[in-house]
Amino acid sequence: MCQPVSRCKVDVPGAFLTLYGGLDMIGAGLGVAGVTDPVDPTGARWYLVLWGPVWLAGGLLMLGAARHYTRQSRRSPETQVGRRA
């Protein structure tokens, strides 16, 4: 599945946060646009402009960090950042 295991610990939450932020932003956007009836219109607007992007960006940053870590660990020890041969 995920290689190495430590990357799995970042990929799974990163994917979850990305989906959570993205899908909730879509739901809040539909509520603000009037397509659906939001429970709290003011809360939907705040979620759309503040909290949704925060969760989405956090998930994308976690996935980016996992990808960067994987690329760095594939390089030779001489080119790795922060490691001494």
Side-chain angles (χ1 to χ4, degrees):
M1 191 159 124
C2 293
Q3 297 294 334
V5 174
S6 62
R7 182 173 171 201
C8 253
K9 293 179 182 178
V10 179
D11 275 344
V12 173
F16 175 75
L17 289 174
T18 302
L19 286 173
Y20 176 75
L23 292 175
D24 278 350
M25 281 181 63
I26 291 170
L30 291 173
V32 169
V35 176
T36 61
D37 189 26
V39 175
D40 179 18
T42 304
R45 276 188 231 107
W46 273 107
Y47 194 88
L48 184 62
V49 298
L50 178 66
W51 295 113
V54 167
W55 290 110
L56 183 64
L60 292 173
L61 287 171
M62 286 182 80
L63 291 172
R67 174 173 240 163
H68 178 73
Y69 172 79
T70 302
R71 286 184 180 173
Q72 287 292 339
S73 64
R74 288 183 185 161
R75 293 183 179 179
S76 65
E78 295 84 30
T79 61
Q80 289 184 0
V81 177
R83 296 206 179 177
R84 295 177 188 228

